[in-house]
């Protein structure tokens, strides 16, 4: 019997689990060239994010929610560089605009996040204006008589 065949048989007798998801893996997955070390399980990351934010005692419920929404959006959109922040803010405003305009305290929190990004030179006035214009588009139209 060849050495590789014996090693494979030994591997088939063991149960392997994914390092991040803790799910069982087939032998083919273990032996494949694909490295899943950099994969992110969004559900697990969201759970960890919520758990971390729950530890903050001096933060309101809306502040925690906007932080979670932003963290989740940034992770899923793979925003990696400072230069990506303007389009990320615009995308966030488009995606969550309807929810934000229905909850004024949450909308206020989002505007404060944008101000903080502007203070750190990560967001310019044009991008902030674009985001606010997007959000205004989701505001209910006021009837005039």
């Amino acid at each position: 019997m060849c050495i590789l065949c014996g090693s494979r048989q030994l591997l088939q007798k063991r149960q392997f689990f994914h390092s991040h998801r803790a799910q069982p893996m087939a032998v083919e997955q273990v032996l494949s060239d694909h490295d899943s070390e950099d994969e992110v399980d969004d559900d697990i990351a969201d759970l960890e994010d919520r758990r971390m934010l729950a530890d903050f005692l001096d933060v309101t419920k809306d502040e925690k929610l906007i932080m979670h929404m932003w963290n989740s959006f940034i992770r899923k959109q793979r925003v990696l560089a400072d230069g990506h922040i303007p389009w990320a803010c615009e995308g966030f405003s488009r995606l969550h605009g309807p929810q934000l305009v229905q909850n004024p305290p949450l909308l206020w929190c989002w505007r404060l996040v944008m101000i903080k990004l502007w203070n750190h030179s990560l967001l310019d006035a044009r991008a902030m204006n674009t985001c606010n214009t997007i959000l205004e588009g989701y505001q209910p139209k006021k009837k005039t008589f």
Side-chain angles (χ1 to χ4, degrees):
M1 177 162 75
C2 73
I3 293 174
L4 292 176
C5 296
S7 296
R8 186 173 178 87
Q9 286 177 343
L10 287 173
L11 288 175
Q12 288 176 329
K13 292 180 182 179
R14 295 201 52 201
Q15 179 65 62
F16 292 91
F17 294 87
H18 192 278
S19 63
H20 293 296
R21 297 188 299 258
Q23 297 296 314
M25 294 177 64
V27 174
E28 293 76 24
Q29 291 174 298
V30 174
L31 297 175
S32 77
D33 290 334
H34 175 71
D35 182 9
S36 64
E37 192 64 30
D38 292 332
E39 289 179 3
V40 175
D41 185 331
D42 288 327
D43 293 334
I44 298 296
D46 279 348
L47 182 64
E48 289 172 356
D49 186 57
R50 285 186 186 275
R51 191 175 300 141
M52 181 215 34
L53 291 171
D55 292 341
F56 292 125
L57 302 176
D58 58 344
V59 180
T60 69
K61 171 182 62 104
D62 290 315
E63 290 170 330
K64 289 179 184 181
L65 179 57
I66 203 71
M67 285 189 273
H68 173 70
M69 291 166 66
W70 178 248
N71 291 345
S72 181
F73 181 84
I74 291 296
R75 184 179 53 258
K76 290 175 184 174
Q77 298 303 315
R78 304 211 186 277
V79 177
L80 302 173
D82 291 354
H84 297 164
I85 297 296
W87 66 256
C89 288
E90 291 175 23
F92 184 89
S93 295
R94 281 189 180 87
L95 179 66
H96 294 292
Q99 180 183 359
L100 294 171
V101 300
Q102 290 178 5
N103 183 343
L106 193 62
L107 178 59
W108 182 245
C109 289
W110 172 235
R111 288 191 166 131
L112 287 175
V113 168
M114 289 192 292
I115 290 168
K116 287 194 177 281
L117 293 170
W118 178 76
N119 283 339
H120 291 284
S121 301
L122 296 171
L123 191 64
D124 61 17
R126 178 181 293 156
M128 191 180 295
N129 185 57
T130 300
C131 291
N132 282 313
T133 302
I134 291 167
L135 294 169
E136 285 174 8
Y138 291 112
Q139 293 284 357
K141 304 296 181 226
K142 294 180 182 177
K143 295 181 181 180
T144 56
F145 294 97

